[in-house]
Amino acid sequence: MKKNQVALITVFMALFVFTGCNAQKNVPVYSSVVYQGNDKVYNENPLKADEFYNPILQGTYPDPAITRKGDDYYLVASSFAMFPGVPIFHSKDLVNWTQIGHVLDRKTQLKVHDTGISAGIYAPDIRYNPHNETFYMITTQFAGGIGNMVVKTKDPMKGWSDPIKLDFQGIDPAIFFDDDGKAYVVHNDAPNEGEELYQGHRVIKIWEYDVEKDQVVPGTDKIIVNGGVDLSEKPIWIEAPHIYKKDGLYYLMCAEGGTGGWHSEVIFVSENPMGPYQPAPSNPILSQRYLFKDRENKVDWAGHADLVVGPDDKYYGVFLGVRPNEEGRVNTGRETFILPVDWSGKFPVFENGLIPMEPKLKMPEGVENRTGEGGYFPNGNFTYTEDFSSEKLDYRWIGLRGPREDFMEFTKNGLKITPFEVNIKEVKPTSTLFHRQQHKDFSFTTTIDYQPGSEEDLAGITALQNERFNYVFGITKKDEKYYLVLERTEEGDSKILASKEIELKDDLQLRVTAEGDDYKFSYALNEGDFQNLGGTVSGDILSTNVAGGFTGNMIGLYATSANDAVPGK
């Protein structure tokens, strides 16, 4: 080979190595995350040996449903456009919970790629049918043209079937298996056409369900509740129905009043699963709506409940509630709570469910509190540290509208996120790995190795309530210089709050902290001290009160090659 050919090959190899290294630097690697919660309520209410904290699932785990097979309990919650969808938890005692995965974990089951974060999966119900030894998860998917659907499995630990589309309208379907093997589906629906009486007027319908065909039986639909407990009072949003059988009677339990401040749980009874159903004389059986506004350790919006027999043969109810911050704003989302239920009389009543809720509960007899240990989900104040050294990502990490595996890769240096050409404000799958905000007072710190190639490149963190309300805090490039930028987006309108030129010589640490409604974004270079950028900013846009929708604040490891958070804009 001639000398000039060797020289040419050497130049090409050098260029390849140089551009390859640059390309890799343009892909962020996150080597650690530390989430730390420090809420006052837990510091002031330490647990005794026979106690556990309520809520049992902190952060946006709303609309819980629960079932039991033998000594095993399985609980699911709404997930909207989060991917994978429908987190599923397992317990032996209703106190210690392990997340075993997600019910909807692949694209054939979950088609939320082009929908807003508060669309997608609503109000899943989970039931075990002893007649065919099969678990059912039935829900509404507001995406992909699916609507109401059901998936099945013999073992929740081993995955679920593809969806079976169900032939009825409405939302919040639940399935009931009677002692004789017959099955029924109940759900929320609109009144018959022309019979709408007021805004928020809804009905509960029931259908017979063909277990062999996995479909409602045509022509069997019947309205069993019109409006709610008392139609003359114009009740709104009767929804989330569940049927239970006890002592030969059928009980229909529903949420009423909408999922906000007037939320409640009500109960009806019938001698036949198809009705007619009569309301209990003392509804609601669960609500916080009548209580004084400024109560200590406030829990609000309680409702959307489900019942199960506990390990002590007593009834318990899981339900959603919120813990507003000092401004009354809901940033942690609707969380999963539990209360014992007194069903010694004809109708069930949530124990202490109509008075201000306490942050602690007595455990069922014989149970040991092991939350946060050995794979059990943490509870109260805790620190969660992730170094991405495992080849299996913890289930608490989720994507938005698409699989995490489409953009993430484990490396020896940490988790690499390959940026999509998608901005966090677009209604598309994003290259973002999310962790729920689980405390009013928290810190979230990550270490990142990254060098953006242009102003279209950005990587860092985001605090996101939805695509129109969020903060972005990350590194980008402008005029061959590196900048940290903090951007606030409210109602889709973005504004750069602060930016600063930095020298990238080593890993960079990024941090978001909150004390109630006050949020701060900070950074540290070369393992130095943290410096604030942008001062104290309001968490208002991260609250359900301001942003609307059904989710809580999500903190994400975010990378994009379609950045519009440019210094000086």
Side-chain angles (χ1 to χ4, degrees):
M1 187 176 290
K2 295 180 180 179
K3 285 185 178 181
N4 58 346
Q5 289 176 309
V6 173
L8 192 59
I9 290 170
T10 302
V11 170
F12 275 125
M13 288 180 67
L15 281 171
F16 175 78
V17 170
F18 177 76
T19 55
C21 288
N22 272 359
Q24 285 301 306
K25 275 292 184 183
N26 200 28
V27 176
V29 175
Y30 294 86
S31 56
S32 71
V33 169
V34 178
Y35 175 92
Q36 187 168 25
N38 190 33
D39 281 351
K40 178 181 176 183
V41 61
Y42 300 121
N43 292 327
E44 294 182 347
N45 293 274
L47 291 175
K48 295 178 182 177
D50 62 344
E51 294 176 332
F52 68 108
Y53 283 126
N54 212 11
I56 52 173
L57 300 180
Q58 296 162 234
T60 182
Y61 293 100
D63 309 329
I66 191 169
T67 195
R68 178 180 182 177
K69 178 190 176 184
D71 295 332
D72 295 297
Y73 296 88
Y74 297 93
L75 184 150
V76 294
S78 289
S79 55
F80 309 102
M82 304 165 199
F83 204 116
V86 188
I88 179 167
F89 295 83
H90 170 262
S91 179
K92 291 281 190 179
D93 52 32
L94 301 180
V95 172
N96 303 294
W97 292 91
T98 302
Q99 186 170 359
I100 60 172
H102 293 80
V103 175
L104 308 177
D105 57 8
R106 54 190 187 271
K107 291 181 181 179
T108 56
Q109 298 171 307
L110 192 56
K111 301 180 184 297
V112 293
H113 57 278
D114 58 356
T115 193
I117 193 173
S118 281
I121 298 296
Y122 280 31
D125 177 46
I126 186 170
R127 287 294 180 267
Y128 176 67
N129 182 4
H131 301 285
N132 61 5
E133 299 181 331
T134 301
F135 290 87
Y136 293 71
M137 193 284 293
I138 185 171
T139 189
T140 311
Q141 183 167 175
F142 277 98
I146 295 176
N148 292 303
M149 53 168 273
V150 66
V151 294
K152 304 188 299 180
T153 186
K154 294 287 186 180
D155 185 351
M157 304 278 189
K158 296 182 178 178
W160 296 72
S161 70
D162 278 346
I164 301 165
K165 183 176 169 60
L166 300 174
D167 190 17
F168 60 88
Q169 301 301 310
I171 63 170
D172 291 8
I175 197 162
F176 168 68
F177 301 103
D178 208 345
D179 300 336
D180 58 6
K182 290 184 178 179
Y184 304 85
V185 166
V186 286
H187 64 94
N188 161 303
D189 208 343
N192 292 333
E193 190 173 349
E195 297 180 7
E196 303 89 345
L197 299 178
Y198 51 86
Q199 186 73 26
H201 177 202
R202 303 289 289 181
V203 303
I204 299 298
K205 277 187 179 179
I206 190 169
W207 301 72
E208 294 179 15
Y209 186 81
D210 188 327
V211 176
E212 297 298 321
K213 295 180 180 179
D214 275 314
Q215 193 56 257
V216 292
V217 178
T220 62
D221 57 309
K222 179 183 178 183
I223 293 175
I224 52 175
V225 174
N226 183 15
V229 169
D230 185 351
L231 187 60
S232 68
E233 295 185 359
K234 297 184 178 180
I236 61 170
W237 286 101
I238 190 77
E239 57 188 351
H242 294 287
I243 291 179
Y244 312 93
K245 190 175 186 180
K246 184 175 183 289
D247 300 331
L249 295 176
Y250 297 86
Y251 291 85
L252 173 70
M253 192 173 75
C254 307
E256 187 184 281
T259 195
W262 201 244
H263 208 195
S264 71
E265 198 71 17
V266 296
I267 192 87
F268 306 78
V269 67
S270 176
E271 295 180 354
N272 189 297
M274 297 292 288
Y277 283 87
Q278 298 297 321
S282 56
N283 279 312
I285 60 172
L286 168 70
S287 186
Q288 298 284 283
R289 67 190 182 193
Y290 300 112
L291 306 176
F292 57 97
K293 181 179 178 182
D294 297 325
R295 58 193 183 273
E296 189 178 9
N297 301 325
K298 182 178 180 180
V299 174
D300 214 353
W301 301 8
H304 201 120
D306 196 10
L307 304 179
V308 73
V309 178
D312 52 4
D313 291 325
K314 297 178 182 179
Y315 278 86
Y316 290 82
V318 293
F319 57 96
L320 72 81
V322 297
R323 296 176 297 148
N325 65 22
E326 77 283 0
E327 296 293 333
R329 296 188 179 122
V330 178
N331 292 45
T332 47
R334 297 173 301 153
E335 305 172 295
T336 290
F337 290 74
I338 192 169
L339 280 177
V341 172
D342 182 352
W343 207 339
S344 58
K346 184 175 181 180
F347 293 100
V349 176
F350 285 75
E351 294 183 15
N352 299 324
L354 297 171
I355 63 175
M357 290 188 192
E358 298 291 335
K360 302 189 297 182
L361 289 175
K362 295 287 185 182
M363 289 188 291
E365 190 174 345
V367 176
E368 179 186 355
N369 190 340
R370 298 178 60 198
T371 54
E373 302 174 7
Y376 290 114
F377 211 64
N379 193 252
N381 284 335
F382 58 83
T383 298
Y384 166 59
T385 301
E386 176 62 77
D387 62 7
F388 302 112
S389 59
S390 170
E391 292 190 4
K392 184 178 180 182
L393 191 65
D394 192 285
Y395 289 127
R396 74 192 74 190
W397 292 104
I398 51 175
L400 180 57
R401 304 187 189 93
R404 302 159 297 182
E405 293 75 17
D406 287 355
F407 60 80
M408 70 172 205
E409 178 185 343
F410 289 102
T411 73
K412 64 180 182 179
N413 296 320
L415 188 80
K416 181 170 71 174
I417 294 183
T418 301
F420 290 165
E421 196 175 341
V422 175
N423 192 283
I424 199 70
K425 291 167 275 191
E426 296 183 74
V427 184
K428 297 177 181 178
T430 66
S431 41
T432 319
L433 199 60
F434 285 102
H435 184 286
R436 294 163 174 86
Q437 178 180 334
Q438 297 179 288
H439 299 80
K440 300 175 195 176
D441 298 350
F442 77 92
S443 66
F444 178 98
T445 307
T446 187
T447 302
I448 180 175
D449 180 16
Y450 177 62
Q451 289 185 2
S454 72
E455 67 180 37
E456 281 77 36
D457 299 318
L458 178 142
I461 57 179
T462 181
L464 179 136
Q465 220 284 341
N466 64 45
E467 51 276 359
R468 292 171 51 80
F469 292 84
N470 54 73
Y471 286 102
V472 167
F473 182 50
I475 319 157
T476 188
K477 191 175 185 180
K478 184 180 180 184
D479 301 329
E480 301 305 314
K481 297 177 181 178
Y482 298 118
Y483 287 86
L484 265 176
V485 293
L486 176 61
E487 179 188 63
R488 173 185 166 103
T489 297
E490 182 175 3
E491 293 186 345
D493 182 28
S494 298
K495 179 182 179 181
I496 301 295
L497 299 183
S499 63
K500 183 174 183 178
E501 182 184 344
I502 60 170
E503 264 189 72
L504 282 179
K505 294 182 178 179
D506 205 344
D507 290 348
L508 174 70
Q509 289 183 287
L510 300 177
R511 173 177 290 172
V512 55
T513 62
E515 293 182 3
D517 197 56
D518 293 336
Y519 284 66
K520 292 181 180 179
F521 294 86
S522 307
Y523 70 96
L525 291 167
N526 307 320
E527 299 185 356
D529 293 335
F530 276 89
Q531 301 178 58
N532 173 247
L533 185 69
T536 300
V537 299
S538 175
D540 55 355
I541 61 169
L542 305 177
S543 72
T544 307
N545 316 57
V546 172
F550 303 111
T551 64
N553 179 36
M554 312 288 290
I555 311 154
L557 308 177
Y558 169 50
T560 180
S561 58
N563 174 52
D564 65 357
V566 179
K569 284 187 70 174

